[in-house]
Structures are given as structure tokens and as C-alpha cells.
């Protein structure tokens, strides 16, 4: 079995100890001790027990990713490193670990560049946030209403207040539409990682339908929850190369 690279060993050498309370802190330390002793399966079992009780942290997901990497379950490892990358305290190390496991996959998917509005949508969602967009939309709406009221009742500022009010209302509408669209996309779509060695992507949620492509371990896919909801054992995905189709849900772990 392959061991971790020097870079990943540095991550494992400084295993994260999160601020879990009371018994959970002790449980986390016990699991980490098993990881340090290279009892990877026992460490995984204990970490999952903590997660099942609702105690999540970037450190927990990172250490799970480390353990799965040592067991050569690279797809599952990548899934946990991606979850760890959502936490500021482990983001940098998790991203480095993702790069490491990506280099170890036998096959890597061709990747289409993101469309401009997808990049903008992701930036606004991650850096600004949907609640902030709605709040800004309300602020501009109030400013617009105030400008129109001044236009109606105070002739001294009619021209200035009119254009200011209309501009603010237009900006408010744009922000509302943008926030609604981002929220819609966020609710409808998610990210998944293929964890089986390989799995067929079909035209329909049926193994007798035509084959579109093959998804290999470690592929990152976009999951359409809305289209998948009426098919219990299948999910509709888009591969990084842009191809779309159905895959059996046991082959993919969704974030």
C-alpha cells in the first residue's frame, strides 16, 4: 500500500485538534491517536461515530481524508478533503491534499472552463452570500422609494432625486433577481465525487439504456437534485467535460 507523500505527511504530523466540547473532545483525541498509530480503520470508525452524532469540523473531515488516503480509497478521501476545504481553518491544507490525491488517480477527467456567469455566481455566493444580496437589494429599494418621494414632494431636488430613485430601484431589482437565481442554483445543484473505481453514465436511469460515458474514481460531478428526486437509486449528473447523464447513486458521494 502506498504511503502518503512528504507533503501529506506534514499535514498528518500536525493533525488538527478542534474545539469539541466535553466527551467529543476526548473521542476526537482517541480517534486521532488511532490515526497516528496507523490503525486507520479504527480511526475511521471513531471519526464517523463523532460525525454521526452531529459534531462536524474541518479537522474531522481532514483526518478522515488522511485515513482513507492511507487505505488507498482515494475517491472517498477526496470527498472528505473537499468537505474540509469548506472550513477556513483547514481550507489551505485540504486544498493541498486534494491536489495530492488528484495526482494519484489513474484517470483524470477533461475539464471545460466555467462560463462567466457561473464564475460570477460562485463568487457572489461564496464571497458575498445570498442573505447579503437580499439585504443590499432592500437597502437600494428603500433608497429608490425615498428618491421618488423626494421627487414628488420636494421640487428643489426633482431632477436629482428622480434619477437617483430610479437607478436605486433598478439596482434593487437586479440584486433581487441575482440573489433569487443564485439561491435557485444552490438549491437545485450540488457537488459529488465518484468513489467507485469506475461507473457507467447512462442516457436514462436504467442499465439497459445507452451508455454515454464512464466516470472513474475521483471524478468531480455536478448533481441535479431536482431532476434526480423521483429516481431513488439514480442521480442525474454533469461531468467536468460537459457530458450529462444518469449514474447509480451508490457510485457518488454528494457534498
Amino acid at each position: 500500500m502506498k504511503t502518503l507523500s512528504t507533503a501529506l505527511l506534514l499535514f498528518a504530523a500536525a493533525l488538527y485538534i478542534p474545539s469539541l466540547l466535553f466527551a467529543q473532545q476526548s473521542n476526537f483525541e482517541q480517534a486521532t491517536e488511532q490515526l497516528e498509530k496507523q490503525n486507520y480503520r479504527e480511526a475511521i470508525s471513531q471519526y464517523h461515530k463523532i460525525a454521526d452524532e452531529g459534531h462536524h469540523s474541518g479537522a474531522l473531515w481532514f483526518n478522515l481524508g488522511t485515513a482513507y488516503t492511507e487505505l488507498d480509497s482515494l475517491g472517498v478521501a477526496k470527498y472528505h478533503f473537499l468537505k474540509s476545504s469548506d472550513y477556513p481553518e483547514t481550507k489551505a491544507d485540504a486544498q493541498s491534499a486534494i491536489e495530492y490525491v488528484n495526482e494519484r488517480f489513474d484517470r483524470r477527467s477533461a475539464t471545460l472552463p466555467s462560463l462567466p456567469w457561473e464564475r460570477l455566481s460562485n463568487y457572489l455566493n461564496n464571497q458575498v452570500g445570498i442573505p447579503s444580496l437580499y439585504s443590499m437589494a432592500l437597502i437600494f429599494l428603500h433608497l429608490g422609494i425615498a428618491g421618488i418621494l423626494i421627487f414628488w414632494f420636494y421640487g428643489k431636488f426633482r431632477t436629482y432625486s428622480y434619477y437617483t430613485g430610479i437607478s436605486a430601484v433598478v439596482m434593487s431589482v437586479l440584486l433581487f433577481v441575482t440573489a433569487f437565481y443564485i439561491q435557485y442554483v444552490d438549491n437545485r445543484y450540488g457537488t459529488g465525487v465518484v468513489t467507485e473505481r469506475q461507473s457507467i453514465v447512462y442516457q436514462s436511469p436504467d442499465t439497459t439504456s445507452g451508455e454515454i460515458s464512464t466516470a472513474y474514481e475521483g471524478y468531480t460531478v455536478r448533481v441535479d437534485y431536482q431532476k434526480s428526486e423521483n429516481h431513488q437509486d439514480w442521480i442525474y449528473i454533469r461531468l467536468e467535460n460537459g457530458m450529462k447523464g444518469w449514474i447509480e447513486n451508490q457510485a457518488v458521494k454528494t457534498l
Side-chain angles (χ1 to χ4, degrees):
M1 182 183 296
K2 295 181 179 179
T3 59
L4 290 172
S5 70
T6 302
L8 198 55
L9 279 172
L10 291 175
F11 304 148
L15 295 172
Y16 297 94
I17 303 297
S19 299
L20 300 175
L21 299 176
F22 308 114
Q24 290 306 323
Q25 176 66 38
S26 176
N27 291 341
F28 185 88
E29 291 173 349
Q30 291 174 18
T32 301
E33 183 178 354
Q34 295 299 318
L35 180 60
E36 292 173 335
K37 291 180 178 179
Q38 300 183 2
N39 297 326
Y40 302 119
R41 297 188 188 280
E42 179 60 28
I44 286 170
S45 176
Q46 292 186 27
Y47 283 132
H48 277 304
K49 183 178 179 181
I50 295 172
D52 290 342
E53 292 174 354
H55 300 277
H56 302 158
S57 69
L60 177 68
W61 302 129
F62 184 90
N63 290 354
L64 269 168
T66 301
Y68 277 113
T69 301
E70 284 286 14
L71 294 178
D72 210 33
S73 295
L74 299 181
V76 183
K78 180 177 179 178
Y79 164 79
H80 287 98
F81 286 138
L82 283 169
K83 290 177 74 71
S84 178
S85 68
D86 287 335
Y87 294 79
E89 66 273 16
T90 54
K91 182 175 181 178
D93 286 347
Q95 289 175 338
S96 296
I98 291 168
E99 291 178 5
Y100 168 73
V101 295
N102 279 339
E103 292 296 327
R104 288 186 54 183
F105 290 122
D106 293 331
R107 294 175 180 266
R108 302 182 68 177
S109 175
T111 303
L112 291 178
S114 300
L115 296 172
W117 55 85
E118 290 181 334
R119 293 197 296 270
L120 177 61
S121 175
N122 290 334
Y123 174 81
L124 291 174
N125 192 13
N126 296 327
Q127 302 299 324
V128 180
I130 295 171
S132 296
L133 289 172
Y134 279 123
S135 297
M136 287 189 290
L138 286 173
I139 290 172
F140 276 103
L141 179 61
H142 291 154
L143 289 174
I145 292 173
I148 292 171
L149 289 175
I150 292 172
F151 168 74
W152 282 344
F153 295 107
Y154 297 93
K156 184 177 179 180
F157 305 103
R158 289 179 65 87
T159 302
Y160 176 77
S161 61
Y162 175 77
Y163 288 110
T164 300
I166 294 299
S167 298
V169 170
V170 170
M171 179 60 72
S172 174
V173 172
L174 289 174
L175 286 169
F176 270 121
V177 171
T178 301
F180 179 81
Y181 171 75
I182 293 173
Q183 187 173 29
Y184 168 78
V185 170
D186 196 46
N187 290 334
R188 176 167 179 172
Y189 300 103
T191 301
V193 178
V194 177
T195 55
E196 293 191 348
R197 295 299 181 186
Q198 64 181 62
S199 189
I200 303 299
V201 180
Y202 295 93
Q203 293 178 354
S204 304
D206 185 342
T207 55
T208 62
S209 66
E211 298 181 5
I212 292 177
S213 183
T214 301
Y216 293 93
E217 183 182 20
Y219 277 20
T220 303
V221 299
R222 188 182 193 186
V223 180
D224 188 331
Y225 294 124
Q226 186 180 87
K227 198 164 185 176
S228 305
E229 62 183 358
N230 295 323
H231 302 276
Q232 183 176 357
D233 299 323
W234 295 83
I235 53 176
Y236 189 77
I237 64 168
R238 187 185 74 180
L239 299 170
E240 289 181 296
N241 62 8
M243 300 183 74
K244 300 178 181 179
W246 295 88
I247 192 171
E248 293 179 278
N249 61 7
Q250 77 239 11
V252 176
K253 279 187 171 292
T254 56
L255 298 173

